[in-house]
Amino acid sequence: MRPIQSANHDPTATEPHLVDITLREVVELVRIDLPADQMEPLLERGLLPGCQLCPVRQSPSGDPIVMVDGTLLAIRHEVARCLCVRRPGSNGA
Amino acid sequence: MPPPLSDPNYQPTAGDAVLPADRTNAAITPIVALVGPPNSGKSTLFNQLTGLRQKVANYPGVTVEKHIGTARLPDQRALQLVDLPGTNGFAARSMDERVTRDVLEGRVQGLRAPDALVLIVDSTRLETQLMLVEPTLKLGIPTLLVLNMADELEQRGGAVRDDDLAEHLGVRVVRTNARNGDGLDQVRDFLIGVADRGLLPPRTCPALSNIVTGTPLPMVDQFTERRRRIQEIGRASGFVLPRGSELTERLDGLFLHRIWGPLIFLAVVVLVFQSIFTWAVPLMDGVQILVAGSGAWMAERLPESWIRALLIDGVWAGVGSVVVFLPQILVLFLFLGLLEDSGYMARAAVIADRTMYRVGLQGRAFLPLLSGYACAIPAILAARTVEDERDRLATIFVTPFMTCSARLPVYALLIAAFIPERRLVGPFLGTRAATLLGLYILGALTAIATAAVLRRTLLRGQRDSFFMELPPYRIPSVRSIGLRLYDRSRIFLRRAGTIILAVAIILWFLTQVPQSGGAPPSIDDSFIGRMGQIIEPVIRPLGFDWTIGVGLISALAAREVIIGTLGTLYQVEDPTQGSLQLQDALRNHLDLGAAVGLLVFFAFALQCTSTIAVMRRETAGWKWPVLQFGYMLTLAYGFALFANWLI
């Protein structure tokens, strides 16, 4: 599978994943490590490399709820682990 | 300044659909399709323009079929409007998205490709929603872009300049608030233009799948490129992203709270069930007085004859005994409507998602399953939103375990007859509501267990990723809820006036023959009695006599028919007891163990021919419906036997 990443991605840097991000922290999506068929619906909803993400709360079971382009999106923990993100101002940003 | 997105020189490539030749027939009215992302307000706009009442609610995936209606223009000309399932793209992974793609490409038999499109987007989420504009415009069909929920955009400090957006996209742009009808005149102006122009000339229609994936760029680059162009247009049109909704923020803090969230979820469920047995009771008493009064009035005025017996003992006892349950059905639908329209349903799906994950179902399957509380048929159709085919089949298979509203009158009758009312948790939960809740939980747990087994055996597959858009909370409109209750009453009463009436008349005649010396036989010697006694040995172990057996068979037409059937049978059996005393009559025919057995039988058995027919259609064959009918009947018989033995 071809890794999906934003144009200014530095492959040597170790990026955190969405699950590592504290609530209310705005980060940039770098890469989605999911098979194409599972990734496409996310892309259609604006979860694209380069977009800004902000985890706004957790569901009662601990899954993240993120704000993307004005939309609240509830995603499973397992998916959040596949979303590589970058904090603003970090290496390569 | 970016060039306009609409491209009149777009050249379709191989695989594009050729539109049917009948497009040139000028006598045919133009077709306008409503297209857009899920939950952007297409069906609300469709209802406003056609005067129809397609179901609308505040969560994505409500519309899963195409609906066709006529929009009448001020000058009385007519247009055909097609309301389509929402879609975020044209990859058509799920069945509902395939419906949209096929209509747009003109691949649906008996329906020409549209002559114009109304693309409706939620203006508070403009940039993501506009991702759909580019492939839509590439179809080369005249398009109107509707920025819906424009009032919300402004209230939350967002902005966009419509004229600039129109110029950059190359389409006409209007803003509306479809819920209250603001801006509809501008949509009608567009429709007048479509009517003036008439049908599009014959041409080839580009295949949407080619537009999306036919370019040499890898998928993600296509999306990022498209996104870049949209953002550029957004900037040039002065788009300002609105602030998050404060109401949504506050309510989510409560409803999705780690502790309060599940507790509130539980409280909501308990409230619904307790209300069915408390709020509905005065209304039910009212209906009962009305039915009993009208029956007595008729009985006094009609001369003694077989017609009087048919009307009083057959029709009135049969239909009347079902009609009294209308208030309980309406209380259930009132709550379902409030939960759906407010936006809470999507949160409930999130709360339940972990359970769904463990079972192996998509969280998305939760919404179709929940709509199964109203009726299994739309719920099975709603499973079209589930993308993975194995997931969809598993969802369809377990949906009939969810307690549909046709079971409610049967449960309510048996519970009222056999379970004495006592308080369990103060005034909040009584024994009757708790029993009803228990039956709903029994259905839901069986659905979950069955799904878990299926996903590990017959429908083994990988667990899909789940995500769910959480719409902002909205205050449900009184009109929308009122119309829904009105429609539900009509459906219920129509069923009472058709199926239940027909069964009551046929049953009554079967209780009157063979006559000896001009007098009807005793009910045990009548045709229906003899037929019932043939099946009695099969159900005797469950504690059921032949009258219940006849009721169970008649319930195959629709579950609540059993009430009408028993109403007629017991009235004929003992006309002196003043009908509608069904509960007393039931206590003479069933002991507690058998009554619990009957409740359990109804919780499990697939007694609904319409559900079986829809399953056959949605699974394209008899395999799944036959398997499901056998499985559910085995469970029903087995557990009813167990209950009768235990109690």
Side-chain angles (χ1 to χ4, degrees), chain A residues 2 4 24 38 40-41 44-45 48 57-61 63 65 69 71-76 78-79, chain B residues 88 91 93 125 128 220 223 249 253 256 258 353-354 357 361 363 462 464-470:
Chain A
R2 180 183 178 275
I4 307 307
R24 305 282 163 187
Q38 292 188 33
E40 194 175 8
E44 284 176 350
R45 284 161 180 83
L48 287 159
R57 68 178 71 254
Q58 288 189 330
S59 75
S61 50
D63 293 308
I65 294 167
D69 184 31
T71 304
L72 279 177
L73 214 55
I75 51 183
R76 278 179 181 162
E78 291 76 7
V79 174
Chain B
N88 285 294
R93 286 177 303 274
R125 302 185 283 162
T128 305
V220 73
F223 275 100
E249 177 74 11
L256 292 174
R258 188 172 288 262
D353 179 56
R354 252 317 113 179
Y357 179 76
L361 282 180
Q462 64 169 16
D464 217 344
S465 59
F466 167 73
F467 51 87
M468 176 108 208
E469 280 172 47
L470 301 180

Side-chain angles (χ1 to χ4, degrees), chain B residues 277 411-420 432 583 587:
Chain B
F277 275 103
Y411 286 174
L413 173 68
L414 288 168
I415 289 172
F418 290 92
I419 309 290
R432 287 180 174 169
Q583 295 180 18
R587 281 192 286 265

Side-chain angles (χ1 to χ4, degrees), chain B residues 343-610:
Chain B
Y344 182 76
M345 220 51 138
R347 272 74 184 180
V350 171
I351 292 172
D353 179 56
R354 252 317 113 179
T355 313
M356 303 294 278
Y357 179 76
R358 286 194 196 102
V359 170
L361 282 180
Q362 268 193 24
R364 199 166 296 277
F366 185 73
L367 290 173
L369 286 180
L370 266 190
S371 62
Y373 282 133
C375 175
I377 294 163
I380 286 171
L381 292 176
R384 290 177 174 191
T385 56
V386 177
E387 287 164 9
D388 181 80
E389 184 61 10
R390 286 159 189 254
D391 255 349
R392 189 179 72 88
L393 283 174
T395 308
I396 289 179
F397 195 89
V398 303
T399 297
F401 282 114
M402 306 307 281
T403 307
C404 68
S405 60
R407 283 180 177 111
L408 183 57
V410 184
Y411 286 174
L413 173 68
L414 288 168
I415 289 172
F418 290 92
I419 309 290
E421 177 66 349
R422 274 199 300 270
R423 285 183 172 187
L424 284 179
V425 189
F428 304 110
L429 187 66
T431 41
R432 287 180 174 169
T435 310
L436 184 68
L437 181 57
L439 286 162
Y440 274 69
I441 291 172
L442 178 69
L445 288 181
T446 315
I448 288 172
T450 303
V453 172
L454 275 178
R455 290 292 280 154
R456 283 162 184 78
T457 53
L458 288 177
L459 294 170
R460 192 195 300 268
Q462 64 169 16
R463 290 176 183 191
D464 217 344
S465 59
F466 167 73
F467 51 87
M468 176 108 208
E469 280 172 47
L470 301 180
Y473 290 96
R474 299 203 168 92
I475 297 168
S477 99
V478 176
R479 184 174 182 274
S480 161
I481 301 272
L483 284 176
R484 224 188 280 189
L485 294 185
Y486 172 71
D487 286 343
R488 183 47 56 176
S489 308
R490 276 184 39 185
I491 291 170
F492 184 80
L493 293 175
R494 196 185 306 141
R495 216 140 94 160
T498 51
I499 300 174
I500 294 167
L501 177 69
V503 170
I505 292 173
I506 293 167
L507 266 179
W508 184 83
F509 275 110
L510 290 176
T511 61
Q512 302 299 306
V513 285
Q515 298 206 338
S516 56
S522 77
I523 193 154
D524 287 339
D525 295 328
S526 67
F527 270 168
I528 196 72
R530 289 182 201 172
M531 282 156 68
Q533 282 149 28
I534 295 171
I535 51 171
E536 199 177 54
V538 182
I539 51 167
R540 183 47 75 188
L542 310 182
F544 304 164
D545 66 10
W546 70 264
T547 56
I548 305 290
V550 170
L552 288 177
I553 289 177
S554 69
L556 281 170
R559 285 184 175 93
E560 67 270 41
V561 173
I562 189 173
I563 297 176
T565 301
L566 296 179
T568 301
L569 287 180
Y570 296 157
Q571 173 73 10
V572 173
E573 185 184 51
D574 181 9
T576 58
Q577 69 165 4
S579 67
L580 295 192
Q581 299 309 315
L582 243 185
Q583 295 180 18
D584 295 335
L586 269 172
R587 281 192 286 265
N588 293 333
H589 283 262
L590 292 170
D591 61 20
L592 182 62
V596 173
L598 189 55
L599 283 170
V600 171
F601 191 92
F602 265 85
F604 289 133
L606 180 55
Q607 287 158 298
C608 180
T609 39
S610 312

